[in-house]
Amino acid sequence: MKPAKSSGTPARILLLDDTRETLEVLRSELMEGDFRIDCADGADFGDIEKDPPDIIVADMEHSPLPGIELLGRIRESGLSIPVVLTSANPGDAVIAFRSGAADYLSRPLDRTEAGERLVSLLAANRANTATGDAGREAAISEIERENKELRDLLRISASLSVSGDSKEILNRLTSLAAETMRCEAASIMLINHREKVLEFVVATGEKGQKLETLTVPLGEGIAGWVAVHGQPQIVNDTRKDSRFTGKVDQESGFVTRQILAVPMMLENEVIGVLEAINTVDRRALGDDDLRLLRDIGERSGVVVSTIRKIETQQNFFIQTTNILVRAVERKDIFSDGHAWKVAELCHKLAAALNLSDTERNDLHFGALLHDIGKLDMPSALFNKRTLTERERELLRQHPVRGAKLLEPITLWKSVVPCVLFHHEAWDGSGYPFGRSGDSIPVGARIINLAEAFTVMRAPNTYKRQLTLKEAVLEIMRSSGRQFDPDIVKVFVSVLEREIPAN
């Protein structure tokens, strides 16, 4: 958008930037007749104080006066110059607004966006000057409010990238909603179409845990009304609203004075309701609060949609894994329940070793699928009590065949190392590659021990079932040879905790 010609003095833009690219973008987008762009690579703050520009566009890493430092100097001096900060780092947007920037532009600059934003900012600044101190203060207040809202939304958006389970992500969103709106509590309720109710998924505040066990019939109460009609509602005195039933308060012990409820939408369909309850400072809820909660509600809807897709994927992933494990068990008459017992022991060892959630997840599915390569081998191999040397060599290829089956599947790629190396030995005497020590992935080392112990204790294998004591002693004797000594120590400590002393 090009600014219209004006008969007044051209607005002066001071550019603090080490590159000529920004200068060229601004000059190409803004008419020189309305704007004068000065590029001051080496200007110090004294020059700015002597001849204040109408707007400053500053690179956040400009030398010798970085954008954040410039904002601080302007505040200290009492000058009222709008500063637009630029940066190539997306994370700097939050820092810019928190520091009081009037606007933020991501680099490389978009020509049209930069022109429109600067024209708009200049128009607002000239209007402030024309309306005098009262108008200026009102405009500054409005800018500060908008900046606060933007900072809050940036903070909320940033929180969505934090890993964690679905409950934790939604809980983070509701906590941020309550905090940014200065309310006592906030909650997210999702529609259960089968039961025709709203179910509390997460709720903050002192009564939050009690609320999470409750439901609200669709159409009942203010939240139920919003769910049915898809329209936000501001209620500053629940006593005067006939829709307010107070049933949730009776069951939870919470006292609701005010409610701001907005529908959570997904593809033009209401999927739930986001509520903010009771302002901490007893102020009336208004349009600004509504706008902010609506924005949070939109982001919450996206999160819920993503979570549902992930849960659908995970359910498919789990059920497919179960089918494959059962298929392996049917092929090998000696392996009934084997994979589940190995996975259970791996889970205990992973907890004792303080593995990360991702490592535990990979270990769990790696343990369940460690023998999947047997599906690609003749059934006769697994139903014989004695094998020829050639048959043993063929059987030893099941880790490689299992890895090849899993590798093309994206969801299982991370468990391939567990499957491929689970028969490698600490001293290098294992198979199929003869790896040793730390070159064997930790998940594979854990499965190696867990599987060996499970086979020793199984009553239906081709070998004699060992007693618990015999099996533990055998694991300890093999420490440093077949098994990682550190994992053996953890294994022994896990058993000591589970088996009471006589």
Side-chain angles (χ1 to χ4, degrees):
M1 178 182 73
K2 303 281 187 181
K5 290 279 185 180
S6 68
S7 57
T9 305
R12 179 169 167 255
I13 297 176
L14 179 62
L15 180 61
L16 302 181
D17 197 302
D18 296 325
T19 67
R20 294 200 60 82
E21 178 189 359
T22 305
L23 176 62
E24 290 169 3
V25 167
L26 295 182
R27 278 185 173 162
S28 67
E29 187 63 24
L30 302 172
M31 288 185 175
E32 289 292 333
D34 297 298
F35 293 90
R36 193 180 100 216
I37 302 174
D38 292 339
C39 188
D41 290 340
D44 61 26
F45 192 70
D47 297 328
I48 295 172
E49 281 187 303
K50 290 175 187 174
D51 185 14
D54 293 284
I55 298 175
I56 298 177
V57 178
D59 178 10
M60 289 183 70
E61 297 183 359
H62 174 72
S63 178
L65 191 59
I68 299 300
E69 182 181 334
L70 170 67
L71 285 168
R73 298 285 296 275
I74 287 175
R75 279 197 305 272
E76 291 171 4
S77 68
L79 292 172
S80 58
I81 307 171
V83 177
V84 178
L85 294 185
T86 68
S87 172
N89 181 6
D92 283 344
V94 177
I95 299 171
F97 284 112
R98 281 179 178 168
S99 303
D103 208 339
Y104 171 86
L105 294 172
S106 180
R107 298 175 60 178
L109 299 186
D110 179 277
R111 293 175 181 271
T112 303
E113 179 190 25
E116 289 179 349
R117 300 269 278 275
L118 287 174
V119 169
S120 176
L121 191 60
L122 178 65
N125 201 40
R126 282 177 167 170
N128 295 344
T129 303
T131 55
D133 292 341
R136 184 160 48 250
E137 288 177 7
I140 290 172
S141 176
E142 177 67 10
I143 290 171
E144 288 176 347
R145 180 191 62 74
E146 289 179 353
N147 283 348
K148 180 185 182 304
E149 286 186 7
L150 187 50
R151 289 195 299 270
D152 290 337
L153 291 175
L154 286 166
R155 189 155 56 103
I156 290 163
S157 297
S159 77
L160 305 187
S161 64
V162 179
S163 62
D165 61 29
S166 57
K167 180 75 175 288
E168 173 59 27
I169 295 172
L170 292 176
N171 197 47
R172 186 182 295 273
L173 274 169
T174 50
S175 296
L176 282 167
E179 179 188 340
T180 55
M181 297 182 64
R182 305 194 310 281
C183 285
E184 292 178 6
S187 64
I188 288 177
M189 293 169 277
L190 297 181
I191 295 176
N192 180 332
H193 288 287
R194 180 178 298 175
E195 302 295 330
K196 296 183 179 179
V197 297
L198 280 170
E199 296 177 334
F200 281 92
V201 179
V202 289
T204 67
E206 56 179 330
K207 306 294 184 181
Q209 287 187 332
K210 287 187 178 180
L211 287 173
E212 289 177 20
T213 65
L214 304 179
T215 61
V216 175
L218 289 179
E220 185 175 295
I222 295 165
W225 188 96
V226 170
V228 170
H229 293 85
Q231 297 295 322
Q233 291 293 295
I234 299 175
V235 178
N236 276 306
D237 189 345
T238 55
R239 295 171 302 176
K240 297 178 180 179
D241 195 301
S242 60
R243 295 168 299 179
F244 181 72
T245 65
K247 289 182 181 178
V248 173
D249 283 6
Q250 291 168 15
E251 295 192 51
S252 68
F254 192 80
V255 178
T256 302
R257 303 186 312 273
Q258 300 166 287
I259 295 177
L260 172 52
V262 299
M264 292 169 55
M265 308 293 292
L266 183 60
E267 296 178 354
N268 297 319
E269 179 185 352
V270 180
I271 61 170
V273 175
L274 173 61
E275 281 189 330
I277 310 294
N278 299 350
T279 55
V280 175
D281 53 5
R282 300 294 181 109
R283 77 183 190 285
L285 292 161
D287 290 340
D288 291 343
D289 300 296
L290 173 59
R291 182 168 55 249
L292 179 56
L293 195 64
R294 258 183 164 163
D295 285 332
I296 299 173
E298 287 179 8
R299 285 155 178 77
S300 301
V302 172
V303 171
V304 171
S305 173
T306 303
I307 288 168
R308 286 178 174 175
K309 288 176 183 176
I310 290 171
E311 287 176 346
T312 299
Q313 265 190 341
Q314 288 176 335
N315 182 58
F316 174 79
F317 185 38
I318 291 167
Q319 294 308 318
T320 303
T321 302
N322 293 345
I323 291 168
L324 290 172
V325 171
R326 285 196 292 270
V328 172
E329 289 180 347
R330 282 197 296 270
K331 193 156 192 172
D332 186 349
I333 62 174
F334 300 119
S335 67
D336 185 34
H338 169 73
W340 301 103
K341 291 171 185 174
V342 173
E344 182 182 3
L345 180 53
C346 284
H347 175 75
K348 294 173 182 177
L349 294 174
L353 288 163
N354 292 320
L355 297 188
S356 68
D357 290 342
T358 300
E359 289 172 324
R360 291 190 197 194
N361 187 67
D362 290 344
L363 178 60
H364 173 77
F365 286 102
L368 288 177
L369 296 168
H370 70 276
D371 280 338
I372 190 177
K374 291 180 179 180
L375 290 177
D376 195 32
M377 308 181 88
S379 298
L381 282 175
F382 312 108
N383 300 321
K384 297 172 66 174
R385 289 196 171 270
T386 57
L387 298 172
T388 66
E389 188 57 38
R390 183 178 178 182
E391 288 172 333
R392 281 198 196 89
E393 199 55 44
L394 178 59
L395 186 59
R396 286 186 170 191
Q397 290 303 306
H398 78 269
V400 175
R401 296 199 179 193
K404 287 181 178 178
L405 286 173
L406 297 176
E407 197 167 26
I409 304 169
T410 303
L411 286 172
W412 277 319
K413 269 193 174 181
S414 59
V415 308
V416 167
C418 292
V419 173
L420 183 58
F421 302 114
H422 76 275
H423 274 299
E424 299 289 1
W426 183 255
D427 64 359
S429 62
Y431 62 88
F433 303 112
R435 283 200 176 197
S436 63
D438 290 332
S439 69
I440 306 168
V442 66
R445 282 180 260 156
I446 295 170
I447 293 173
N448 185 6
L449 187 152
E451 180 180 35
F453 179 75
T454 301
V455 169
M456 291 176 198
R457 294 287 293 138
N460 58 345
T461 61
Y462 51 88
K463 294 182 180 179
R464 178 180 71 85
Q465 180 185 10
L466 301 186
T467 66
L468 177 61
K469 181 178 179 180
E470 288 173 332
V472 172
L473 287 174
E474 182 59 31
I475 294 291
M476 294 175 71
R477 276 194 290 269
S478 299
S479 176
R481 297 202 304 272
Q482 182 175 348
F483 309 120
D484 179 342
D486 291 334
I487 294 177
V488 171
K489 291 177 187 176
V490 172
F491 164 76
V492 172
S493 69
V494 166
L495 287 188
E496 286 176 343
R497 287 197 300 270
E498 292 195 347
I499 302 172
N502 294 325

